[in-house]
Amino acid sequence: MSASKLGLGVLSWHGYETLAASLKTYPGDRFLDLFDERVIFYPEITDEGRDLAARFAFEAKGQPGNKGIMDGFRGLANAMKSDTVVLVENDCPLIESCDEANLQITKARQLIEDERAQVVRMRSRGEPGEAFDTADKYKAMYPVASAPAIERTKAKLLRLIRPGKAKKLIGTSVYVEADPVQKFPKHIQDVGSGFYLVPTSVITWTNQSIMIDRRFFLEKIIARSESVDGRRTVNGFKNLEIELNDNWWRTRPWTVAVAPGLFTHRRLGSRGY
């Protein structure tokens, strides 16, 4: 068994109804016991947030004000002590069994610790949930063989006109294709147990349900986001995905692992992030 510590970190800006619904799906006796540390980080921390964290056996940490998603994730990672962390937002309920969670977390952790992957996507491939339009973008570029001839012709033209976008979408094949390795053998590697390895050149960065080395996250991912010109923002703040999904990310010598996935994306009531 690895001697390193594993933590579960949740980022939540208000959205307590959504957060409570997600936390109810994290069984304390089997799922939460997989982690050495459990933290909820609240930008604009409140007594209600502290009480909710305590109710579900999490440590509540936070700061007085909200400065956006990137700042929130930086605060969350800095508030934790574990070597490897699973980072989720408040609208990411667990949709798999505790046994399946144990298997996937063990596999993902090994890939990180062996440096075969720098980040592991833990969002469900089968049930990704709300706001997942990447699959549709992929299908527009790479329609199934049975698609009408006009769709296949249009897709071929799109790939010719926008080769950069077509390349960036190759990694999304793991969410769509029955055999993504056969489709893109130069880019996709099957490493067993439903996991695939994909180079950063063909798959984007995502904040949504990831496992990552905490120091790597702070020193590489957060540091890069901080250094990027912030002209494009969300509500005036950086969000990591905007700053990272550029040529810098696509030229990193890093690998993204994509797991079958444990979490979906589901909001209730107040949006939070």
Side-chain angles (χ1 to χ4, degrees), residues 8-15 18-23 25-26 39-43 58 68-70 72-73 76 86-94 123 205-210 217 234 239-241 263-267 271-273:
L8 173 62
V10 183
L11 177 62
S12 184
W13 179 62
H14 299 301
T18 296
L19 175 60
S22 295
L23 295 176
T25 69
Y26 302 168
V39 173
I40 300 175
F41 187 84
Y42 297 102
F58 276 77
I69 295 173
M70 187 277 285
F73 272 115
L76 173 59
V86 173
L87 304 178
V88 299
E89 297 182 51
N90 65 5
D91 48 11
C92 299
L94 177 71
R123 183 176 184 172
W205 167 267
T206 180
N207 303 333
Q208 183 65 242
S209 304
I210 59 170
F217 182 66
V234 175
N239 82 335
L240 286 177
E241 292 178 348
F263 305 95
T264 192
H265 185 211
R266 185 184 305 139
R267 293 190 179 103
R271 180 183 178 90
Y273 276 121

Side-chain angles (χ1 to χ4, degrees), residues 118-129:
Q118 279 63 52
V119 59
V120 183
R121 290 184 172 204
M122 304 299 293
R123 183 176 184 172
S124 172
R125 296 207 310 267
E127 298 180 50

Side-chain angles (χ1 to χ4, degrees), residues 88-114:
V88 299
E89 297 182 51
N90 65 5
D91 48 11
C92 299
L94 177 71
I95 58 171
E96 297 292 343
S97 69
C98 293
D99 287 341
E100 179 63 19
N102 187 18
L103 290 172
Q104 289 195 38
I105 286 171
T106 300
K107 175 82 172 183
R109 191 177 184 182
Q110 200 63 56
L111 290 170
I112 293 288
E113 293 183 358
D114 291 347

Side-chain angles (χ1 to χ4, degrees), residues 196-251:
Y196 295 99
L197 298 182
V198 186
T200 60
S201 59
V202 298
I203 195 168
T204 58
W205 167 267
T206 180
N207 303 333
Q208 183 65 242
S209 304
I210 59 170
M211 180 184 288
I212 195 166
D213 178 271
R214 188 176 66 88
R215 286 292 173 193
F216 180 90
F217 182 66
L218 288 168
E219 295 171 6
K220 302 295 185 181
I221 302 305
I222 293 294
R224 170 60 183 178
S225 182
E226 289 176 324
S227 73
V228 173
D229 186 317
R231 285 176 292 180
R232 291 181 61 214
T233 62
V234 175
N235 297 323
F237 299 112
K238 294 184 176 184
N239 82 335
L240 286 177
E241 292 178 348
I242 289 175
E243 297 82 43
L244 262 67
N245 286 321
D246 60 5
N247 190 59
W248 178 88
W249 172 257
R250 292 189 290 275
T251 57

Side-chain angles (χ1 to χ4, degrees), residues 8-9 16 20 38 44 52 56 68 82 96 106 132 174 197 204 270:
L8 173 62
Y16 296 129
R38 301 180 295 273
E44 297 185 354
L52 187 58
F56 288 96
S82 299
E96 297 292 343
T106 300
F132 186 76
V174 300
L197 298 182
T204 58
S270 176

